[in-house]
Amino acid sequence: MSAAGSLLVAAPLVAVLSLAVALRPARPDTVAPLRLAVVRAAVVTGAFAVLTVELLGALRLLTLPAFAVAWLIFVAATVTAAGWRRRRTAAPTGSGAARSLAAVRARLADRWRTAWRGERLLAGTVGGLVLVELLIALLAEPNNFDSQTYHLPKVEHWVAQGSLEFWPTAIHRQVTIPPGAEYLLLHLRLFTGGDALHNLVQWAAGVGCLLAVARIAAQLGGGRRAQLLTAFVLGTTPMVALQATSTQTDLVCAAWVACVATLALDGLRRRAGVGTLLLLGAATGLTAVTKTSGLIGVGPLLLLWGIGQLRLAYLGGIVRGADRDRRAGARVDGPARPALVGAGRVGLPTGGADEVAPIGSDDVARPGAGGGAPEPPGSRAGGVARTVAGSVLVVLVALLVVGPFLARVQAEFGHPLGPPRLRESIPMERHDPPSVLVNALRIGHTALDTPVAPVRAGTAEAIMAGARAIGVDPQDRAITFGRETFPVPSWYPDEDRVAFPLAGALALVGAALALARPARVSPTAAGALRGYAIVVVTAVALHTAMIKWQPWGNRLLLYALVLAAPLAGLWLDSLFRRRLASESESASGSSSAPGRRRSVAVGLAVAMLAGSALAGVLALSYGFPRRLVGAGSVFTTSEWDTRFLRRPQWADEFRAAADAVRASGARRVGLVQQNDNWEYPWWLLLRDADGRPPELVALQSVLPDRPPADPASTDAIVCTGTRKVCADLVPAGWTLTWRGYVGYALPPT
């Protein structure tokens, strides 16, 4: 990496930090203002990165100089905005950067000093896992299977042609799957000239998810302990830990969905301004352009936000009664404890970090109630019109972000969702209640899979027997992806399919209690908690009704797990809170049977949390295909072998074929491959010594209007998959050499 590239790599970080300063909320009653500032900064930076790719791609300027200019302008603007914000909010005596940094350090030290031992353990575990994930992300080369097939090849095609124009290819996913995460990778590819930092995109998304879900827990009435429990449950989930070191796209999608969630929850307690509407639209568009399935979670969230905005318009949005909330929280939680950094003013009780009334409380003045004048009918109508206009603005901004990609797909295939094979392979083709029920049970079985073989086999057999009893084939292609067969073990720590039984079980219990008894879980935000739980349950129900079962379906559910994590954290916090209350009763001699039952529940919860920590540690230590110890360790495995840990037998075959093609002096190389073959190794092996990408052209194409290249126009041909398909395309007189999975053909000398 050049010195200029190193400086450009720092540009996104500088932009996010500057925007966090510039966009920090000014209202003193904002929940977790620092985390909200980071969410805002991430959304703005992500939208800039995506729109920059779209604009420069349309101009055929996907080059390092063009991106360097764009980022320098953006960073200069963000730094200027941060400086203006600091000058505007500076105290009369002045508050330089050193003083602000010292204040942050002092605040962090105070939070750590006042934290309980369990809270320190939770925070330390999550922080340690994040640091280990960063280490693995930096040491390991990209080796995700889908990345070898289409995630990373599409980035290389953009760099080679300098535009986003579609190209002939046998792998339709290179052009039909939303490319939002790959847009972010493109920036790093141009800055560094390679893929050394590609894993950092998902790692940063994982950190963003942790910050967002912790803030969501605070918005739903959770104090420091609840927020730490939420981050702990999510951070120790093996799927999150493994994906945070990869070039998959599910964690990026989940991060944008979490941003929508925390911004939408703010709309339950105050009217949204133009800035919030723009952020909501941008986060929605980023979700859509990254992974379409994420919209299943975004839709209910935006509906909840709209209902909250209409309610505020009807009630006039007059908020009062924060002192009563604090008194109520103190009665439930006991002595007040300082909140988590950014959760609000120091001194809020553990169970109630919110300083404004949530939806469902009595702290919004109703028309004619004491403390607030009745709202004129015209004012209510204006509020409703404002909400409708705001909703339209959110949709328009989202379309601005995702619209260019959808327009290209529409122009190419006549449908914004791509060709029929894509629209029919993943979405459900049957929606009758029995089929949806069977699909939901199979998805749930795969998501909650455990290493206990009798349990796994017994529940799977029960699901299949029940499906046949209600007239549904459990392997029906209309509700099953491709040619896959249910069940498939998913308990082992593989980034593409690992189950989350512990986090899933905690989330299920938390969702049930949030729906049935929200006041016990969050006394100060019962209405908001129930509304949010309805959103999460609705998203999961829609997912099972819209997405076919597949062995890799747990990846697609990651956004739902992220949304559900606060429900688990809040429930666990309420359980521990009541346990402390029971201990106080026992000390006063008033022990009871419910208290003893509660002790058993607390013991089970602690055991599950310990199991979660162990699962997270084992996933990073022995997970696949990147691990710390054992065969395939990032410390002992070579770069090339790391890339082929999924298929080690292919490593020598690719290298031998590439060596022969380079030795022939070929410049224009034809590609023969099937839909799930690896293309990315050719981009690495056939690259020029100075880093210039090779000229690779497809000899097959699934795009009707983009014919493949003529084999006779190439200097050499490389093939993967089936020898017969390759042989049919090799011109007469050429020599075809085949080695297992890989082959190559050269013209006569």
Side-chain angles (χ1 to χ4, degrees):
M1 189 192 318
S2 65
S6 300
L7 293 175
L8 288 173
V9 165
L13 179 60
V14 173
V16 169
L17 294 176
S18 300
L19 284 171
V21 174
L23 300 177
R24 181 158 183 165
R27 294 178 61 105
D29 61 353
T30 301
V31 178
L34 181 57
R35 275 169 277 165
L36 176 57
V38 173
V39 167
R40 290 174 172 178
V43 172
V44 172
T45 304
F48 165 79
V50 169
L51 293 176
T52 297
V53 172
E54 290 288 0
L55 176 60
L56 295 181
L59 299 175
R60 305 187 70 84
L61 287 175
L62 298 182
T63 61
L64 177 58
F67 274 65
V69 171
W71 274 102
L72 290 176
I73 294 174
F74 184 65
V75 168
T78 60
V79 171
T80 301
W84 177 83
R85 175 65 184 274
R86 289 181 59 81
R87 288 192 300 272
R88 184 184 177 193
T89 59
T93 56
S95 57
R99 178 173 301 191
S100 298
L101 185 60
V104 171
R105 285 200 301 265
R107 195 157 56 245
L108 288 172
D110 181 67
R111 300 301 189 270
W112 185 260
R113 179 180 56 81
T114 58
W116 295 330
R117 183 182 303 172
E119 293 171 344
R120 292 181 180 179
L121 182 60
L122 293 172
T125 302
V126 174
L129 289 175
V130 169
L131 291 178
V132 174
E133 290 162 7
L134 175 61
L135 176 65
I136 297 176
L138 290 172
L139 292 178
E141 286 71 29
N143 60 0
N144 174 263
F145 195 102
D146 285 347
S147 296
Q148 307 277 12
T149 300
Y150 67 96
H151 289 312
L152 301 186
K154 70 171 67 174
V155 175
E156 297 300 324
H157 277 286
W158 294 334
V159 173
Q161 64 189 23
S163 73
L164 300 176
E165 182 181 1
F166 290 165
W167 54 90
T169 178
I171 304 174
H172 76 87
R173 291 177 293 175
Q174 291 183 358
V175 296
T176 57
I177 298 293
E182 292 88 342
Y183 282 173
L184 305 182
L185 293 177
L186 176 60
H187 293 263
L188 294 177
R189 167 65 176 85
L190 290 173
F191 293 164
T192 65
D195 58 17
L197 300 182
H198 278 9
N199 293 332
L200 292 185
V201 171
Q202 282 259 112
W203 178 83
V207 173
C209 286
L210 294 176
L211 294 176
V213 297
R215 183 171 191 265
I216 291 171
Q219 291 172 287
L220 297 176
R224 175 168 60 192
R225 185 175 57 213
Q227 297 167 50
L228 288 173
L229 285 167
T230 297
F232 182 89
V233 169
L234 183 64
T236 56
T237 302
M239 176 67 76
V240 175
L242 291 171
Q243 285 229 6
T245 65
S246 80
T247 48
Q248 265 292 6
T249 61
D250 306 282
L251 208 50
V252 177
C253 173
W256 298 134
V257 174
C259 289
V260 174
T262 191
L263 293 171
L265 285 176
D266 280 339
L268 303 186
R269 52 178 43 90
R270 67 173 59 96
R271 299 304 305 276
V274 175
T276 300
L277 296 174
L278 294 176
L279 288 169
L280 269 174
T284 300
L286 289 169
T287 302
V289 81
T290 301
K291 211 172 188 70
T292 310
S293 58
L295 294 177
I296 299 174
V298 168
L301 286 168
L302 293 180
L303 180 60
L304 177 66
W305 171 84
I307 293 173
Q309 292 290 287
L310 289 174
R311 177 178 178 273
L312 291 174
Y314 175 75
L315 297 176
I318 302 175
V319 179
R320 57 186 176 82
D323 290 337
R324 183 169 73 247
D325 275 352
R326 282 195 288 271
R327 288 195 297 272
R331 285 195 299 271
V332 174
D333 290 353
R337 302 285 295 181
L340 184 67
V341 175
R345 293 200 301 264
V346 175
L348 289 182
T350 308
D354 295 342
E355 298 185 16
V356 291
I359 188 172
S361 74
D362 294 327
D363 295 326
V364 178
R366 286 164 171 73
E375 280 294 308
S379 176
R380 294 178 188 169
V384 172
R386 175 182 169 185
T387 300
V388 173
S391 302
V392 173
L393 179 59
V394 169
V395 173
L396 291 177
V397 174
L399 289 176
L400 176 65
V401 176
V402 70
F405 168 71
L406 294 181
R408 289 195 298 274
V409 176
Q410 171 71 38
E412 191 72 34
F413 300 102
H415 196 287
L417 298 181
R421 65 182 301 178
L422 178 63
R423 303 197 304 270
E424 297 169 0
S425 61
I426 297 178
M428 287 275 285
E429 297 178 78
R430 290 181 57 180
H431 298 91
D432 54 289
S435 297
V436 172
L437 175 61
V438 171
N439 193 56
L441 291 174
R442 295 184 305 167
I443 289 176
H445 177 274
T446 305
L448 302 178
D449 192 17
T450 69
V452 184
V455 174
R456 180 170 64 249
T459 53
E461 185 57 39
I463 291 173
M464 291 189 289
R468 287 188 287 266
I470 60 176
V472 178
D473 179 3
Q475 314 299 345
D476 186 354
R477 296 301 101 189
I479 61 174
T480 305
F481 177 82
R483 299 179 180 178
E484 305 301 326
T485 302
F486 174 83
V488 172
S490 61
W491 59 267
Y492 55 92
D494 185 307
E495 67 171 354
D496 283 339
R497 64 176 64 189
V498 62
F500 33 84
L502 295 176
L506 292 172
L508 286 174
V509 175
L513 292 177
L515 292 172
R517 308 187 71 177
R520 292 196 65 184
V521 177
S522 180
T524 62
L529 177 60
R530 176 174 282 167
Y532 183 78
I534 292 174
V535 164
V536 175
V537 172
T538 301
V540 173
L542 289 174
H543 185 99
T544 59
M546 298 173 67
I547 305 296
K548 294 177 180 178
W549 175 86
Q550 56 180 283
W552 314 279
N554 292 340
R555 293 194 300 105
L556 304 182
L557 266 177
L558 189 54
Y559 75 91
L561 178 66
V562 170
L563 291 180
L567 301 178
L570 289 164
W571 165 66
L572 290 169
D573 177 63
S574 69
L575 183 63
F576 295 141
R577 185 176 63 233
R578 292 195 299 275
R579 171 58 181 164
L580 292 175
S582 297
E583 290 179 353
S584 300
E585 294 175 359
S586 298
S588 62
S590 58
S591 178
S592 62
R596 289 189 292 273
R597 290 195 299 269
R598 194 172 295 121
S599 297
V600 174
V602 168
L604 291 175
V606 171
M608 292 184 72
L609 290 175
S612 295
L614 180 61
V617 171
L618 291 177
L620 291 178
S621 300
Y622 298 100
F624 195 74
R626 292 167 302 281
R627 57 177 55 171
L628 289 174
V629 297
S633 167
V634 294
F635 296 114
T636 60
T637 308
S638 68
E639 172 190 346
W640 190 247
D641 289 337
T642 298
R643 296 182 185 276
F644 283 85
L645 280 176
R646 285 283 185 191
R647 298 291 187 272
Q649 67 274 20
W650 294 350
D652 292 338
E653 296 178 12
F654 269 98
R655 190 188 293 276
D659 289 343
V661 170
R662 282 202 311 270
S664 71
R667 290 298 309 159
R668 181 177 168 89
V669 180
L671 287 175
V672 178
Q673 54 197 0
Q674 285 77 60
N675 186 56
D676 206 30
N677 290 174
W678 285 17
E679 179 182 315
Y680 186 58
W682 299 126
W683 290 98
L684 298 176
L685 290 167
L686 299 177
R687 186 177 297 174
D688 288 346
D690 59 0
R692 288 186 303 168
E695 185 182 1
L696 298 179
V697 294
L699 303 186
Q700 311 137 288
S701 178
V702 295
L703 278 66
D705 297 329
R706 299 186 185 273
D710 182 358
S713 69
T714 64
D715 303 323
I717 296 174
V718 292
C719 310
T720 52
T722 305
R723 177 181 181 129
K724 181 180 184 306
V725 174
C726 183
D728 290 343
L729 291 171
V730 172
W734 286 39
T735 302
L736 173 61
T737 304
W738 197 264
R739 297 185 58 184
Y741 175 77
V742 178
Y744 65 93
L746 298 174
T749 57

